[in-house]
Amino acid sequence: MRSAACEESGTVPPVTENISARGENSSMKDLKNKVVAITGAASGIGRMLAVNLAVEGSRLALADIDESGLSETTGLIIDNRGVSIHVADVSDRSQVQRFAREAALHH
């Protein structure tokens, strides 16, 4: 549940554990220590997916056209040493290919 302060500022607090819709601890163990590429990571579902996967131990290659939003997402991740950010417009094939190359080189 979001607090009023979060709604006013538009920020989301860091996630410290992954809770399923039923309130149970769930796990993404299959992705621990794996590189996960996430597009749309500057906000919304992409941002929350990135934060949750980082908590689970995934290394992340994050992409979005919003560079400042990507920086905000990275700031929500407690240990962001395994995170790379890439400004890319996924509607442009050459930018997607560049994202893939850069992520492969980084990770």
Side-chain angles (χ1 to χ4, degrees):
M1 179 177 286
R2 289 178 148 198
S3 70
C6 289
E7 289 179 14
E8 288 175 16
S9 68
T11 62
V12 179
V15 176
T16 57
E17 66 180 323
N18 188 358
I19 304 294
S20 73
R22 291 177 283 176
E24 303 167 344
N25 281 337
S26 61
S27 181
M28 297 181 218
K29 291 179 184 168
D30 293 339
L31 297 176
K32 186 172 185 170
N33 296 317
K34 304 280 190 218
V35 177
V36 179
I38 302 173
T39 60
S43 64
I45 294 170
R47 174 177 281 174
M48 293 316 305
L49 180 61
V51 171
N52 280 293
L53 286 172
V55 168
E56 295 295 328
S58 296
R59 297 184 325 235
L60 305 173
L62 307 178
D64 202 290
I65 58 174
D66 178 3
E67 187 171 12
S68 65
L70 284 172
S71 294
E72 290 174 22
T73 298
T74 304
L76 294 172
I77 297 171
I78 294 167
D79 181 2
N80 58 25
R81 290 175 291 178
V83 178
S84 63
I85 61 172
H86 310 268
V87 177
D89 180 349
V90 297
S91 69
D92 182 329
R93 181 183 300 263
S94 66
Q95 289 188 36
V96 173
Q97 292 169 339
R98 179 181 45 80
F99 165 48
R101 282 191 307 273
E102 290 175 357
L105 287 171
H106 185 275
H107 296 278

